[in-house]
Amino acid sequence: MKQVDNVSNLKLLEILNRLDFFKQFSLDDRHALLEDKLQVFFCKKGFRVFREGEIDATFYLVLSGRVRIVQRKLNRTLGEVKAGQFLGEGAFITQGPRSASGVALEDTLLLRIDIEALRSLAPAIREKLKDAIIAGMAKRIGELNERLQSVL
């Protein structure tokens, strides 16, 4: 995974504007997020973003590309995460070991947020970020429930 420093804030703003994750953020909020120097990383296809079992309280938002979530211990794929969705939220919230691994299915651009970055954000932006994570988790739970219902 390589940190990307040469993408302009204007290009990043264009990407953020397309993602539902940021729909509750004002334009000023989005600018402030970019000014806080949140880290953007590029992953080549096949790169392991994180490993099951590692302790790393980092949250990733997919800006472009796709990441497969797998549990290696049980040899199963849990799903795919695409642009506008996030991964790593469990370890980010609990600051415990990762329950799965994330592997880039194609070249992928990620916004990385760790606890320190979260704490450095203005309180109003931090709350919007937390709300977006909660809304995304609720949506994911709803989708899982629908899949379970179709199986049963």
Side-chain angles (χ1 to χ4, degrees):
M1 187 159 49
K2 181 179 178 183
Q3 187 166 354
V4 178
D5 294 321
N6 60 347
V7 178
S8 72
N9 277 359
L10 186 60
K11 181 65 175 171
L12 287 174
L13 186 62
E14 178 186 319
I15 294 169
L16 297 185
N17 288 340
R18 291 191 311 240
L19 303 177
D20 284 344
F21 185 88
F22 294 103
K23 67 183 174 190
Q24 67 180 341
F25 290 72
S26 69
L27 187 57
D28 287 341
D29 292 340
R30 293 173 195 177
H31 276 288
L33 271 173
L34 295 175
E35 288 171 8
D36 272 331
K37 306 292 187 242
L38 297 179
Q39 297 173 323
V40 177
F41 286 88
F42 174 77
C43 302
K44 295 285 277 175
K45 177 181 178 179
F47 183 83
R48 186 169 294 133
V49 178
F50 52 76
R51 290 185 191 279
E52 182 177 345
E54 74 182 354
I55 297 177
D56 174 25
T58 303
F59 167 87
Y60 295 94
L61 178 70
V62 179
L63 299 177
S64 68
R66 294 179 305 137
V67 177
R68 176 178 287 139
I69 307 302
V70 294
Q71 279 187 318
R72 299 225 181 262
K73 284 183 183 176
L74 300 175
N75 195 28
R76 67 177 172 186
T77 296
L78 300 177
E80 290 182 14
V81 181
K82 59 185 180 185
Q85 298 177 322
F86 52 82
L87 58 152
E89 71 278 3
F92 179 72
I93 292 168
T94 66
Q95 296 185 27
R98 297 217 182 263
S99 60
S101 297
V103 180
L105 288 172
E106 55 191 52
D107 290 353
T108 302
L109 197 60
L110 300 168
L111 179 68
R112 180 183 185 273
I113 303 171
D114 61 20
I115 296 299
E116 296 308 315
L118 180 69
R119 290 181 181 141
S120 75
L121 296 172
I125 295 172
R126 186 172 48 238
E127 289 306 310
K128 287 180 183 179
L129 186 67
K130 288 178 183 179
D131 289 347
I133 293 169
I134 291 167
M137 291 175 73
K139 182 178 179 184
R140 192 173 290 162
I141 289 168
E143 290 168 354
L144 289 172
N145 282 336
E146 286 178 18
R147 283 196 332 202
L148 279 173
Q149 292 299 320
S150 69
V151 172
L152 299 177

